[in-house]
Amino acid sequence: MSAQGPVLLTGATGFLGMELLVRLLERGDRDVVTVVRAADDREAEGRMSGVLNTLLAPEDYRAVRGRVRAVAGDLETRGLGLSPATRGRLTSEISAVAHCAASVSFSLELEEARRINVAGTHHVMSLAKEAYASGALERVVHVSTAYVAGERVGRVRESQDYVGQSFRNTYEQTKLEAESLVNDSDLPTAILRPSIVVGDSRTGWTPTFNVIYWPLMAFARNLLPTVTADPDGHVDIVCVDTVADALYRLLDGPVQRGTIHAVAGDDAIKNIDLATMAADAFGREPPRFVASGVDPKSEETAGVFGPYFRSQLLFDARRGRALGFRPPPLKSYFGALMEYADRARWGKKPVSRWALAAETERVAA
């Protein structure tokens, strides 16, 4: 791996980007250039030092810090907000791009979501094209979401994109629009589509508590007595370690092209089973499943995440499975997720990733 140039990583301060960064540093010897929103490179380096201190034990931090370079940039700005000198240096040396940055908000207005998720991808791909033209770039790996399938019904193939589906929110819509830019680039690109990403399957660690965590927290606090959903419907949840491992393999293994799912697929859990596990974890009676409009207050509490319990699709994962992207069953690590959520007070009292991992290893020993 030492003969390969650096990886350009966007979204290194976000959950999935952080997990990929750890793998790049621990499993290989390539340098990593991170694009960080900051006033200048000095501030960008400071932000990255903070991230690395959360991820890595002090001795590991010291061993790898020199392999990470942070540059100040802005995905919403033409040219990524990079100086001509910095852009020229990057396009002559980076051998791979991992585009993990995005807004995961489900409530943005469409044009705002497009500025981040679509225009941001356009700016990243423009830099990638320059690097490819220079002879440096080997591949691009773009992170999307399996839920670009929107409100379709039935099985969703990895090769499918827009087939006339409507969307639950602007996040889904703009992530599909961003995929079109990647597919139209004529570069060696792979698109990874994870489903709903939760914490690490061993430790439960996550720096963010959104999507599925929000209704779970509401239920734990007795604020969600009912769920507007079909109890036999499925919700597709995947642990972050499976997704980050998949990303690392797409960057480090043979060059892949096209779209790949990192999902539970046919093993996706039923709503009723998720509700039962949550009830057991919190010592409560399971919530009741009701039709739309029966309990408006609970629907309001579930908010923008509620529609994911009403999904009527299953993700095909043949290509992802062939590449080894198979997550463990949710029931095998749901306890770890909820234990960490409780310990971290649902994000109000976080624990560093490395400290939690070390503690977990000591307990296991």
Side-chain angles (χ1 to χ4, degrees):
M1 300 305 300
S2 58
Q4 291 184 309
V7 174
L8 180 73
L9 173 61
T10 71
T13 59
F15 184 24
L16 187 53
M18 286 193 283
E19 289 289 339
L20 175 58
L21 178 59
V22 168
R23 285 157 174 77
L24 288 167
L25 296 175
E26 291 182 344
R27 301 180 184 180
D29 57 7
R30 297 167 80 173
D31 289 348
V32 183
V33 181
T34 63
V35 180
V36 178
R37 185 187 289 271
D40 52 38
D41 288 352
R42 181 175 180 179
E43 182 181 318
E45 288 285 359
R47 287 194 66 192
M48 187 47 51
S49 291
V51 168
L52 290 170
N53 275 314
T54 295
L55 299 176
L56 302 171
E59 60 273 19
D60 297 324
Y61 173 93
R62 290 190 294 270
V64 302
R65 183 62 181 93
R67 289 173 48 204
V68 183
R69 183 166 84 247
V71 297
D74 184 353
L75 264 66
E76 298 179 53
T77 302
R78 184 181 179 87
L80 295 176
L82 302 173
S83 69
T86 296
R87 189 178 181 91
R89 183 169 67 250
L90 292 180
T91 55
S92 68
E93 67 179 10
I94 57 171
S95 63
V97 172
H99 183 34
C100 299
S103 169
V104 297
S105 172
F106 294 168
S107 57
L108 293 181
E109 294 294 329
L110 181 58
E111 289 310 308
E112 184 177 1
R114 278 177 171 155
R115 282 198 302 272
I116 302 168
N117 294 338
V118 184
T121 298
H122 170 72
H123 297 145
V124 170
M125 295 307 296
S126 293
L127 184 143
K129 288 178 181 178
E130 291 180 30
Y132 190 71
S134 78
L137 189 76
E138 179 189 42
R139 69 185 83 189
V140 175
V141 180
H142 172 78
V143 178
S144 186
T145 172
Y147 284 95
V148 295
E151 296 189 287
R152 290 179 54 191
V153 175
R155 186 168 294 275
V156 177
R157 308 291 180 185
E158 287 164 296
S159 60
Q160 292 175 315
D161 41 52
Y162 183 66
V163 293
Q165 69 266 38
S166 56
F167 301 97
R168 299 174 185 85
N169 49 61
T170 59
Y171 171 70
E172 294 179 349
Q173 179 175 343
T174 56
K175 290 299 285 184
L176 185 60
E177 291 174 3
E179 282 191 15
S180 295
L181 293 176
V182 176
N183 287 325
D184 292 343
S185 68
D186 294 325
L187 298 181
T189 58
I191 296 174
L192 187 70
R193 288 177 179 168
S195 53
I196 298 171
V197 182
V198 294
D200 186 89
S201 65
R202 296 172 294 270
T203 67
W205 187 80
T206 175
T208 58
F209 291 84
N210 51 26
V211 191
I212 200 70
Y213 285 97
W214 173 255
L216 287 171
M217 180 178 66
F219 175 66
R221 296 176 177 176
N222 205 28
L223 300 175
L224 201 65
T226 69
V227 178
T228 302
D230 176 359
D232 291 322
H234 295 84
V235 56
D236 198 299
I237 296 171
V238 61
C239 53
V240 70
D241 34 308
T242 293
V243 182
D245 286 347
L247 278 174
Y248 180 77
R249 182 165 178 179
L250 291 175
L251 285 169
D252 190 63
V255 175
Q256 303 291 337
R257 294 175 182 259
T259 304
I260 304 151
H261 281 163
V263 297
D266 288 339
D267 298 323
I269 195 166
K270 289 184 177 182
N271 289 321
I272 185 64
D273 295 328
L274 177 59
T276 300
M277 289 195 305
D280 290 343
F282 304 133
R284 297 189 180 280
E285 290 296 316
R288 293 183 297 109
F289 287 88
V290 299
S292 179
V294 171
D295 188 352
K297 185 175 181 181
S298 284
E299 288 189 43
E300 182 180 356
T301 299
V304 294
F305 309 116
Y308 288 91
F309 293 107
R310 300 190 286 276
S311 173
Q312 298 182 60
L313 50 77
L314 281 173
F315 297 112
D316 181 75
R318 294 183 203 177
R319 191 175 183 206
R321 294 293 191 265
L323 291 170
F325 307 160
R326 179 181 291 276
L330 178 62
K331 64 181 180 181
S332 71
Y333 63 92
F334 186 77
L337 298 179
M338 294 302 97
E339 286 174 15
Y340 180 68
D342 181 65
R343 176 174 176 174
R345 296 177 56 196
W346 300 89
K348 293 181 179 179
K349 193 178 179 181
V351 180
S352 65
R353 181 187 185 277
W354 67 267
L356 185 64
E359 180 182 306
T360 303
E361 289 180 8
R362 286 196 301 269
V363 172

